[in-house]
Amino acid sequence: MRAELEDKRAELEEQLTGLSTSTGDIGGISFGKRVGEGTSFAVERLSQVAAHDRLGDTHAEVVRALAKLDDGTYGSCDVCGEPIGAARLEARPWSTRCIRHAG
Ligand SMILES: [Zn+2]
C-alpha cells in the first residue's frame, strides 16, 4: 500500500513539474474579462491552471494518506474516524475521508 501511494505521489509530482514548466508563469497572467471574449490563449491557460490545481489537490491527499499510514489512522475518515470502506479505498487508495465527508 505504501509503495502504491509513493508511486502515485511521484507520478503526480512529475506531472505537476511538467505542467509548471510547460506553462511557465502560472498565475502570472491576469485572466479577468478576456476569457469571456474567447481568448483561446487565456482559456488554454485557465484549463492548465485548473488541471494543475486538481493535481495539486490529489497530491495533497496522497501526502496526507502517507502520513495516515505513519500514524496508524490509514483507512479511517479524517473527519469522523469511521472506516472509509474497502471499495472506496480500492478505487482511490489515497482517500482520507469517508464518502459522507468527501469533498
Ligand atoms: Zn467521515
Side-chain angles (χ1 to χ4, degrees):
M1 181 52 71
R2 177 177 295 276
E4 197 179 326
L5 287 172
E6 279 171 354
D7 280 357
K8 183 71 185 173
R9 183 177 60 180
E11 179 194 314
L12 286 165
E13 276 164 8
E14 204 171 291
Q15 288 174 349
L16 281 167
T17 309
L19 270 181
S20 359
T21 50
S22 66
T23 54
D25 54 345
I26 277 192
I29 289 199
S30 170
F31 296 115
K33 338 173 175 106
R34 304 211 69 107
V35 176
E37 293 162 10
T39 308
S40 63
F41 178 73
V43 170
E44 190 187 321
R45 282 269 169 164
L46 258 188
S47 68
Q48 281 172 339
V49 170
H52 192 270
D53 282 356
R54 269 198 309 277
L55 282 174
D57 287 350
T58 307
H59 179 255
E61 276 190 274
V62 173
V63 168
R64 175 67 195 139
L66 280 162
K68 284 168 77 63
L69 272 177
D70 282 339
D71 66 19
T73 61
Y74 180 79
S76 20
C77 174
D78 258 356
V79 179
C80 64
E82 294 293 316
I84 289 170
R88 185 164 162 74
L89 281 175
E90 201 169 310
R92 274 169 71 92
W94 52 91
S95 297
T96 56
R97 293 178 180 198
C98 72
I99 200 133
R100 242 172 353 122
H101 294 117

